[in-house]
Amino acid sequence: MKSILIIDNHVSTCTLLHKFLTKHKYIVETTTDAIHGLEILKKNKFDLLIVEYHLPDFSGMEMFDRIQKIDPEAGIIFMSGQVTLKNAVNIIQRGALNFISKPLNPDELLDAIKDAQQEKINMRSEKSTSKPICLNHEPTPDTGLVWGKCSKAVDMMHQVKTVGATNYSVIIQGETGTGKESLARLIHSYSPRRDKPFIAVDCGSLSKEIASSELFGHEKGSFTGAHSQKTGFFEQANGGTIFLDEIANLSLDIQMALLRALQEKVIRKIGGNREIFTDVRIITATNEDLLEKSETSLFREDLYFRLSEYVLEVPALRDRMEDLSLFIDFFLEQTSVELNIPKPRISSEVKSCFEAYSWPGNLRELKNVIRGVCLFLGEENMIEKESLPSRIINCFENPLEKLMPIKHDELMETAFEELKTTDLKSTALKAEYKRILEVMNKVHFNKTKAAQILNIHRKTLYSKLRLMNIPY
């Protein structure tokens, strides 16, 4: 990477960068005017652009779009003295190579330029080799997966195929039970690494004490109980993919070690004195908002940026109910094979119960419910309403269990009907009730999940619902 265009509205920044980068053998052109910078770009080809995010003429996003229209292959690094996490994430997800803060650190700037150079090499390599091969490759038909036919499912599968063809790190974000690990395996099956190992790691089961050993391995005698050498997941998956499920559960020091392993592509075993090169693709899954968690220092910002080269949102089952019949049929077929029985049928009443229920456990819950009721089939191999779990029957018989948004105003009136006064205690209770209803509405009246979000015991939630005159 030799030619660099600097666009910054401060003359001092342009002068400083020109001197510094010229000294490091780069060909540098600068301008303090965004429109003039775009005109320069139309006439000349640059390997890299370093652009101020807050220019007087255009926002960072608009500047990015204009540069892309002129030269779609241009590598862009944004810089700013007012870096916000939201701006940085948005622009990097859009396609920028980096976002660095002012005042500029010389070493950090050179590292960012070198990383950008390597990124462009990787992108060219993927364009010329991996992508055409992978997009034409279909996973074998016996994957045992079904993803639905609604518009959200079609869009999700298009994203899986597209990102699968790259080596991007992917965060799969969605509620518990939506099939995140199956999606990770599918992404791996579309990738150039599909013939290499796929290692799934449950981060929730990795305590702080054993996480380093499990991920990176250890040497014999490196700690009490290390009776033999251990090969960690990174070595096992070399050349392939590591899937880190519920990565938010990792402690901060393990997050730091993981970041180093990803950036340097080397690991060191506990008790070892040599570095081991590893080439792995990372796919992570979470039912939490990692970006929001990184803002509270519970998850490292730099690790989030490293992992979030692409974020795949998985819709909840309640948001794609048009595919419910397809999933029911799939799980019935699967269970009939497992139990070696004819494929069961469901009554119209059972179907209505399924459609009325909000499925907080998503596909996993649906699968387990079907497996359970298939043990108690009625006449003519029929699943009857009486065999369903009580929570599903109650939801069908009591529509309040579903608590769709249209009921929210009515429930607010019910909850507040005895709080007519305006004293301080009543005002505080109204605020509390309002928050409870918002959460209950959001989780579709799943009391367990609501209690977790509100950070109260489930019995406490029941007590408050009773005081609010809301059936539970």
Side-chain angles (χ1 to χ4, degrees), residues 34-318:
I35 296 174
H36 183 232
L38 295 173
E39 291 299 321
I40 294 173
L41 187 61
K42 289 178 183 178
K43 298 174 184 177
N44 302 284
K45 188 81 172 176
F46 291 90
D47 296 311
L48 180 69
L49 282 77
I50 302 178
V51 183
E52 164 62 42
Y53 188 85
H54 297 286
L55 290 168
D57 301 313
F58 308 115
S59 68
M61 286 293 184
E62 189 175 359
M63 192 65 183
F64 178 83
D65 291 340
R66 287 172 178 265
I67 292 170
Q68 287 286 289
K69 285 180 181 179
I70 298 171
D71 184 1
E73 296 184 0
I76 310 170
I77 293 176
F78 280 95
M79 57 183 175
S80 176
Q82 303 171 12
V83 181
T84 66
L85 188 58
K86 184 177 180 181
N87 286 343
V89 170
N90 287 343
I91 203 70
I92 288 173
Q93 288 184 344
R94 195 77 165 266
L97 299 179
N98 211 329
F99 196 121
I100 55 181
S101 61
K102 293 179 178 178
L104 299 173
N105 179 293
D107 292 334
E108 182 184 357
L109 178 61
L110 288 177
D111 286 343
I113 292 173
K114 289 175 184 176
D115 289 345
Q117 183 177 16
Q118 186 59 49
E119 184 72 21
K120 289 197 73 176
I121 291 172
N122 293 342
M123 289 169 65
R124 282 196 293 266
S125 174
E126 286 167 5
K127 277 188 177 181
S128 61
T129 56
S130 302
K131 194 169 182 179
I133 294 172
C134 293
L135 288 181
N136 290 331
H137 167 73
E138 292 291 332
T140 52
D142 59 348
T143 52
L145 302 174
V146 60
W147 292 107
K149 297 179 180 178
C150 70
S151 59
K152 289 185 178 180
V154 172
D155 178 61
M156 182 175 69
M157 291 311 299
H158 174 70
Q159 293 180 64
V160 165
K161 291 182 179 181
T162 303
V163 77
T166 72
N167 276 311
Y168 284 12
S169 297
V170 181
I171 294 178
I172 303 176
Q173 201 159 284
E175 293 181 10
T176 298
T178 48
K180 295 187 288 292
E181 181 174 342
S182 296
L183 276 171
R185 292 182 182 276
L186 199 57
I187 290 172
H188 174 73
S189 72
Y190 277 106
S191 77
R193 301 170 180 266
R194 59 185 174 273
D195 297 324
K196 299 293 183 179
F198 177 94
I199 304 292
V201 182
D202 178 11
C203 296
S205 66
L206 294 182
S207 67
K208 183 178 178 180
E209 291 73 25
I210 69 168
S212 290
S213 173
E214 293 294 322
L215 291 172
F216 311 121
H218 63 249
E219 298 290 353
K220 181 179 179 180
S222 57
F223 54 87
T224 303
H227 301 302
S228 61
Q229 185 189 68
K230 177 180 177 61
T231 300
F233 294 134
F234 267 74
E235 271 192 279
Q236 294 176 37
N238 200 13
T241 302
I242 290 182
F243 171 63
L244 300 175
D245 193 17
E246 299 307 338
I247 190 173
N249 291 318
L250 291 179
S251 62
L252 288 173
D253 54 343
I254 299 301
Q255 291 177 31
M256 180 65 187
L258 178 61
L259 177 63
R260 182 182 181 277
L262 297 179
Q263 288 181 335
E264 306 298 330
K265 295 188 181 295
V266 294
I267 61 167
R268 181 176 292 177
K269 293 183 178 182
I270 297 175
N273 55 13
R274 81 184 168 90
E275 292 187 328
I276 303 168
F277 174 80
T278 58
D279 172 30
V280 296
R281 180 188 196 175
I282 299 291
I283 302 177
T284 59
T286 178
N287 58 13
E288 301 183 56
D289 188 333
L290 288 184
L291 180 56
E292 183 178 310
K293 197 162 186 177
S294 69
E295 293 174 343
T296 61
S297 301
L298 295 174
F299 196 83
R300 291 185 62 96
E301 267 185 21
D302 43 8
L303 180 57
Y304 175 81
F305 291 141
R306 180 62 185 79
L307 295 173
S308 61
E309 291 179 327
Y310 193 83
V311 179
L312 178 65
E313 296 282 352
V314 187
L317 179 56
R318 62 179 171 274

Side-chain angles (χ1 to χ4, degrees), residues 317-329 346-360 365-366 369-370 385 388 391-399 401-404 444:
L317 179 56
R318 62 179 171 274
D319 295 328
R320 46 189 300 208
M321 292 296 278
E322 55 263 54
D323 282 333
L324 181 64
S325 297
L326 183 65
F327 291 124
I328 292 171
D329 188 70
I346 63 172
S347 67
S348 57
E349 202 171 22
V350 168
K351 185 178 180 182
S352 297
C353 286
F354 280 175
E355 290 172 348
Y357 188 55
S358 62
W359 298 104
E365 183 182 14
L366 176 62
V369 166
I370 288 177
K385 175 184 169 185
L388 296 178
R391 66 182 185 277
I392 297 178
I393 298 174
N394 290 342
C395 182
F396 175 65
E397 294 178 347
N398 180 8
E401 285 287 318
K402 196 172 183 183
L403 193 62
M404 296 303 286
H444 292 252

